[in-house]
Amino acid sequence: RTWQWTSGGYVASASADRQVKVWDLQAGFCTHSFVGHSGVVLRVLFHPKQLQLYSGSDDGEVRVWDLVDKSCVAVLKAHFSAITSLALSTDGWVLLSGGRDRVVVAWDLRKNTKLSTIPVFECVEGVATIPLGSPFPGVPLPTDPSMMAHKGASKPIFFATAGEKGRLKLWRTDTGACVFEHAGLGHGATGGLVGAAPDQPSTPAAGGAGGGAAREYTDLVLLPGATGLLATTADARLLFYRPDEARKGLVLSKQLVGNVDEVTDVRLVGGVKRT
């Protein structure tokens, strides 16, 4: 159903048989086989520094797997529907899980406890953390006064969501506020500005709009260097958005069309060559 690759030559796979497996690509065999979910496993995610793997399922659970002991060390329960997306904070200590119960949950990985629940008001199909200081609308610099966490509050994390309404939204975890929302696929998604900051009027993009389920997003990935977002749609398109600082929005910079059926997962592999 889904997979994730690491630079160490390992791939984690998740499938409808409720199992999570890790594969050694060079040797060509399975190194780990994890069983515990009671439903289809929809997402897997390696930790970039710790020897841990995270999985999300339609049973509403996030499981934390220890790759050394080959065991489940924590079961994170807060969702009431399928978990469709997982993302880590830039420091690697907060896990975000998004689900079709219309919420994103932030988890403290030091204690394996819930930090907060952010209502996003639509079935979530993709979540991506946004680094501070990146040029996305509504995302401040680390030194911005708005980043001063309240006493006893966790450090704010900014993240983007995509889902059934065909809109890209940016949020912060400490207040649960939406700091940016674009005009959505229903307002045209073939070029031009597709979003505006909350205090700016939305400007529809040029071109016609799709209808019905075609407007839904099915996945979301942050591009290397936080240069933009890659979103997949229910009609099998790959849409590349880049921040437009001058116009305080997002621009659809590129579109790839070629799949003839549902895109169930998307990953970026390899580096980006710049000239």
Side-chain angles (χ1 to χ4, degrees):
R1 182 67 187 181
T2 187
W3 63 281
Q4 194 201 13
W5 170 82
T6 69
S7 58
Y10 292 89
V11 165
S13 63
S15 59
D17 62 4
R18 306 176 183 179
Q19 295 187 52
V20 176
K21 294 185 178 182
V22 179
W23 306 83
D24 184 324
L25 292 181
Q26 185 173 5
F29 61 85
C30 177
T31 60
H32 301 70
S33 183
F34 297 122
V35 178
H37 283 293
S38 59
V40 176
V41 186
L42 300 174
R43 278 290 181 265
V44 285
L45 178 67
F46 280 112
H47 194 287
K49 297 180 180 179
Q50 307 296 322
L51 292 175
Q52 288 187 336
L53 176 68
Y54 311 101
S55 60
S57 166
D58 68 2
D59 60 10
E61 296 179 351
V62 176
R63 287 183 174 256
V64 183
W65 307 97
D66 188 306
L67 296 175
V68 177
D69 295 337
K70 297 186 177 183
S71 64
C72 179
V73 295
V75 180
L76 310 180
K77 298 182 179 181
H79 288 276
F80 297 96
S81 187
I83 296 172
T84 57
S85 49
L86 298 171
L88 282 167
S89 61
T90 53
D91 64 6
W93 290 112
V94 176
L95 177 70
L96 300 178
S97 59
R100 294 187 180 134
D101 51 1
R102 301 171 180 259
V103 299
V104 171
V105 180
W107 304 93
D108 183 345
L109 293 180
R110 291 183 176 92
K111 302 177 181 178
N112 290 324
T113 57
K114 185 178 72 171
L115 290 172
S116 61
T117 299
I118 301 96
V120 297
F121 311 109
E122 67 173 321
C123 295
V124 179
E125 298 296 335
V127 171
T129 52
I130 307 296
L132 291 176
S134 58
F136 286 87
V139 178
L141 295 171
T143 55
D144 191 281
S146 67
M147 287 303 299
M148 299 298 294
H150 300 291
K151 186 177 180 180
S154 59
K155 183 178 179 181
I157 296 168
F158 289 78
F159 64 95
T161 60
E164 62 177 345
K165 294 183 179 179
R167 293 174 177 267
L168 295 180
K169 300 178 184 179
L170 272 60
W171 310 79
R172 56 184 296 164
T173 56
D174 59 335
T175 63
C178 179
V179 298
F180 172 82
E181 180 177 350
H182 81 24
L185 289 175
H187 294 269
T190 57
L193 185 67
V194 295
D199 59 345
Q200 299 289 330
S202 296
T203 304
R215 300 177 183 179
E216 299 176 9
Y217 287 120
T218 58
D219 206 349
L220 185 67
V221 176
L222 182 70
L223 295 177
T227 56
L229 292 166
L230 166 59
T232 62
T233 67
D235 58 357
R237 289 178 293 157
L238 306 182
L239 306 180
F240 293 78
Y241 295 101
R242 63 175 177 82
D244 188 320
E245 294 184 79
R247 300 169 69 183
K248 298 182 180 179
L250 293 174
V251 171
L252 180 62
S253 59
K254 182 167 58 176
Q255 179 174 185
L256 300 180
V257 180
N259 293 286
V260 296
D261 204 344
E262 179 187 5
V263 178
T264 61
D265 199 6
V266 59
R267 290 287 184 271
L268 297 170
V269 295
V272 178
K273 184 178 181 181
R274 298 184 181 274
T275 59

